């Protein structure tokens, strides 16, 4: 932390709210570093972290409507549509109209998309483990709970 000896008491009282010491800045920095490392790890597969997120949704529940994927990932339609276009072009997913409601497009994994489930999670785990090196399991759990609470507090 920088020396506050030349600063007023008022400045000292909110020093932790200034970048680079504030929580938001540090969370953003961790996010950027994780994203960079994960992007590098996905490069050999021609994938991005957003592709990973869509694949995770579909590995958990194949055949989701596009809108459900967007809701889960908190993404706007245009962004998701472009990602799905590229994933479909690469043979990872296919789109089909819902049989009961023709307005709905459902997204299904292809065999190639399903096969990545055996390959990508260990890569993601390795990046996570690198980020969490030296942090106890209990502290990791607490950190996760704190982040979940902060997300819930800000999601209204």
């Amino acid at each position: 932390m920088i020396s506050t000896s030349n600063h007023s008491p008022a400045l000292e009282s909110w020093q932790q709210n200034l970048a680079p010491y504030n929580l938001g800045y540090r969370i953003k920095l961790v996010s950027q570093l994780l994203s960079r490392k994960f992007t590098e790890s996905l490069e050999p597969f021609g994938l991005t972290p957003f592709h990973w997120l869509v694949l995770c949704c579909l590995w958990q529940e194949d055949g989701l409507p596009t809108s459900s994927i967007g809701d889960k990932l908190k993404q706007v339609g245009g962004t998701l549509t472009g990602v799905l276009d590229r994933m479909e072009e690469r043979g990872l997913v296919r789109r089909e109209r819902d049989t009961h409601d023709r307005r709905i497009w459902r997204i299904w994994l292809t065999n190639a998309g399903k096969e990545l489930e055996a390959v990508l999670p260990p890569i993601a785990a390795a990046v996570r483990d690198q980020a969490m090196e030296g942090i106890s399991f209990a502290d990791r759990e607490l950190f996760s709970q704190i982040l979940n609470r902060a997300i819930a507090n800000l999601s209204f």
Side-chain angles (χ1 to χ4, degrees):
M1 191 161 215
I2 59 175
S3 170
T4 58
S5 60
N6 295 332
H7 299 290
S8 70
L11 179 61
E12 289 179 28
S13 70
W14 54 271
Q15 186 72 38
Q16 69 182 8
N17 294 319
L18 300 175
Y21 308 105
N22 70 39
L23 182 62
Y25 175 82
R26 290 182 292 151
I27 288 173
K28 180 180 179 189
L29 182 57
V30 167
S31 175
Q32 289 173 329
L33 293 170
L34 276 170
S35 182
R36 184 179 308 149
K37 181 62 77 174
F38 195 43
T39 297
E40 290 170 3
S41 299
L42 292 174
E43 245 175 52
F45 302 93
L47 300 173
T48 68
F50 200 170
H51 293 133
W52 157 259
L53 293 172
V54 171
L55 288 168
C56 286
C57 286
L58 296 173
W59 291 330
Q60 293 172 39
E61 184 180 349
D62 203 7
L64 285 171
T66 304
S67 59
S68 293
I69 296 170
D71 290 345
K72 286 177 183 264
L73 301 179
K74 309 285 189 252
Q75 293 295 318
V76 292
T79 303
L80 180 57
T81 299
V83 169
L84 291 173
D85 286 345
R86 288 184 292 284
M87 291 178 77
E88 190 172 32
E89 288 167 5
R90 302 186 70 237
L92 300 174
V93 299
R94 70 179 193 284
R95 293 179 177 137
E96 292 180 9
R97 290 225 185 250
D98 186 278
T99 56
H100 301 292
D101 187 341
R102 304 282 297 154
R103 296 171 296 175
I104 297 172
W105 284 95
R106 292 195 172 270
I107 311 302
W108 298 91
L109 289 165
T110 63
N111 286 337
K114 291 175 184 175
E115 289 170 4
L116 288 172
E117 188 175 8
V119 177
L120 297 182
I123 292 170
V127 172
R128 179 209 56 219
D129 290 346
Q130 181 181 1
M132 296 289 119
E133 189 174 328
I135 301 171
S136 72
F137 182 77
D139 284 347
R140 291 178 191 197
E141 286 294 310
L142 179 59
F143 182 59
S144 182
Q145 291 170 10
I146 291 167
L147 288 176
N148 287 341
R149 174 78 315 204
I151 290 166
N153 289 343
L154 296 171
S155 297
F156 50 84

